[in-house]
Amino acid sequence: MANLTLVQAINQALAQEMERDNRVVILGEDVGVNGGVFRVTEGLAERFGEHRVQNTPLDESGILGAAVGLAIAGMRPVPEIQFEGFLGPAYDQIVNHAARFRNRTRGAITIPMTIRVPVGGGIHAPELHSDSPEAIYTHSPGLKVVMPCTPYDAKGLLISAIRDPDPVIFFEPKRVYRAYREEVPEEEYTIPIGQAKIVSEGEDLTIVTWGASVFQCLEALDDLPEDVSVELIDLRTIDPIDTDTIAASVEKTGRCVVVHEAPLTCGLGAEISSRIQERCFLHLEAPVQRVAGFDTIMPYYKLELDYLPDANRIGKGIRECLAY
């Protein structure tokens, strides 16, 4: 097996799906010969032709509007939005059209498109290039929201997303794009959307997280006393949330810390805490803790690392939950 980065695994998944199904097309700003802003689509225009890897004008609403039309016409578009902050101009196309077509047509028309979006902070980017808007789209019925953090998961989940009959927002943590390598099978495979992964098993406390924060949680676990046993869950899919896996873990450990980059208020941690309260109340030995970004706009790069939950803040949350 090849040792791939997240970028390479996603590129391989795109190539294999385009090879398998000629309805799969890519569109976005500079995705052609330039290979996209992060070079994720590098080489695909040369291999499959510019009619299947289409550069577009600087117009996010137009990119996703065109993708909705392509999907209605029977194609499987994979539009790329260069940074998560640029989803705003395309919000109408995503929430009011792509997400609603199945319901609007009583199932006669679905929108099988996968919106690829780099997400999150940690790369010293300017404003609108480092946000974590996953809760906004999780709140919109009709969409699936996926955020893998490892190359293996990214390949399997992206193939599942492209084959899904409904719209999927596929968030790619840009902080991990080239920071981590993993063995990835050459052959195609799928990972079910909606299935979380237990990264490490434990008995004393559960951590629920996703995206790049998985790696900060692993750092935090390294600093804990040896006799503290923590179960770490990577959601991988944010919507639908794998509540069964979370509940089974919390019923075992009795304590939970939710970690995410997005601002605390109305972040996904609030939804997860509520579900734990509903499903696991009689098993809880402490209130659910949340370690999250602050309720402010993501700061410029000099303060960026102070905003993001790091191993120290996560470790503090774990200790407070254990001490309750």
Side-chain angles (χ1 to χ4, degrees), residues 44-222:
L44 299 181
E46 291 87 344
R47 181 171 171 182
F48 296 100
E50 293 184 359
H51 65 294
R52 293 186 65 192
V53 185
Q54 185 67 241
N55 282 332
T56 67
L58 190 65
D59 179 5
E60 284 75 18
S61 181
I63 294 168
L64 294 192
V68 170
L70 285 165
I72 292 172
M75 306 297 285
R76 289 186 173 267
V78 186
E80 176 183 295
I81 300 297
Q82 288 192 336
F83 290 90
E84 70 290 306
F86 305 157
L87 280 172
Y91 183 82
D92 177 54
Q93 295 294 346
I94 298 170
V95 172
N96 292 332
H97 298 294
R100 290 172 179 257
F101 246 93
R102 176 185 284 277
N103 183 268
R104 186 177 294 161
T105 64
R106 300 297 182 263
I109 297 175
T110 64
I111 305 295
M113 77 175 188
T114 302
I115 308 168
R116 289 187 40 253
V117 192
V119 73
I123 66 163
H124 295 178
E127 189 180 12
L128 298 175
H129 294 65
S130 303
D131 295 326
S132 299
E134 61 267 28
I136 295 172
Y137 299 96
T138 301
H139 190 67
S140 301
L143 297 173
K144 296 183 178 73
V145 182
V146 176
M147 193 190 299
C149 74
T150 67
Y152 180 89
D153 287 349
K155 179 178 176 180
L157 283 164
L158 181 56
I159 291 175
S160 293
I162 293 172
R163 297 179 187 180
D164 196 280
D166 292 301
V168 178
I169 298 185
F170 194 85
F171 283 121
E172 301 165 4
K174 59 179 85 80
R175 187 158 33 133
V176 188
Y177 261 154
R178 291 179 172 82
Y180 173 75
R181 287 182 177 271
E182 183 179 46
E183 289 190 341
V184 177
E186 173 67 26
E187 63 272 17
E188 61 185 65
Y189 59 92
T190 60
I191 294 173
I193 291 175
Q195 188 174 95
K197 178 170 72 176
I198 297 177
V199 179
S200 63
E201 295 190 355
E203 303 293 331
D204 300 328
L205 180 143
T206 300
I207 294 178
V208 179
T209 191
W210 54 92
S213 293
V214 171
F215 294 99
Q216 279 63 61
C217 290
L218 287 169
E219 281 184 46
L221 298 190
D222 285 341

